[in-house]
Amino acid sequence: MNYLAHLHLAAHTRSSLTGNLLGDFVKGPLPTGLAAHFDEGIWLHRKIDAFTDAHPEHRAAVACFEAPWRRFGGILVDMLYDHWLSHHWQQFSPDPLPRFLQQSYGQLLADHARLPEGLPMALKRMAEQDWIASYGRREGLGQALNGIGRRLRRPLLLGEALHTLDEGRWRDCELGFLRFYPEVMRFSEGQLTHYRAGQDEAGSGQ
């Protein structure tokens, strides 16, 4: 999953928005030494990513890309999911997307001042430059993918992969996302309930 989906699932489960995004940057075991709500978000991020990568709809979307693009299928589909979430936002959130992003960016910037130095400037730039709003346009999505492609060990125009999907495969993948996303919303709720119950038990046993 990419930034918008993780922010939405964090808000949906009332967990830390910043913590959920830190899951892309903070590796290693928990606890991390950060605040407990950040650790909770990192934990949820990891669970969501594992669920997503193993899901048949996600795997089918990856398989829509032919060589040489399929090796980057995980990145491509995660970004496409943010694109489709933008387009179908009203199905999944009562708040208008621009308002949601404005509030989310405000929280990320407020939390950034409380994080150890070096963690991570990408989130601050994303909030200041409103990266996510561009994901809703195919052109903006392609530009974002090209930006990712430039940071690969062997740089390439990753956005070109979008042009290899004909309208039939594009629509099939979009319908797959619409079947998948309610499942990951329910999964996130259940996982976080389980996590918090375990934390409460650990706390009461001290």
Side-chain angles (χ1 to χ4, degrees), residues 23-138:
D24 273 333
F25 302 92
V26 176
K27 309 301 179 184
L30 299 174
T32 61
L34 300 173
H37 64 286
F38 290 148
D39 277 357
E40 178 185 88
I42 293 167
W43 182 90
L44 182 60
H45 177 113
R46 294 174 180 178
K47 291 293 183 180
I48 290 169
D49 277 359
F51 177 82
T52 300
D53 291 345
H55 198 281
E57 295 289 2
H58 190 274
R59 290 185 172 182
V62 169
C64 285
F65 291 95
E66 299 176 356
W69 303 111
R70 189 174 294 176
R71 63 180 296 201
F72 306 105
I75 297 171
L76 293 164
V77 174
D78 285 352
M79 291 291 288
L80 276 167
Y81 277 8
D82 268 11
H83 173 77
W84 288 319
L85 180 56
S86 296
H87 274 256
H88 298 285
W89 181 257
Q90 291 182 322
Q91 291 188 37
F92 304 113
S93 175
D95 292 327
L97 181 56
R99 181 192 303 165
F100 175 81
L101 288 177
Q102 182 181 31
Q103 293 172 344
S104 298
Y105 291 151
Q107 185 63 58
L108 291 172
L109 292 173
D111 284 343
H112 190 271
R114 305 186 186 103
L115 294 173
E117 188 174 353
L119 271 180
M121 288 300 295
L123 297 185
K124 185 172 185 288
R125 290 196 298 271
M126 180 192 71
E128 291 174 340
Q129 299 171 17
D130 190 15
W131 292 356
I132 295 175
S134 69
Y135 297 170
R137 306 186 310 275
R138 266 207 210 192

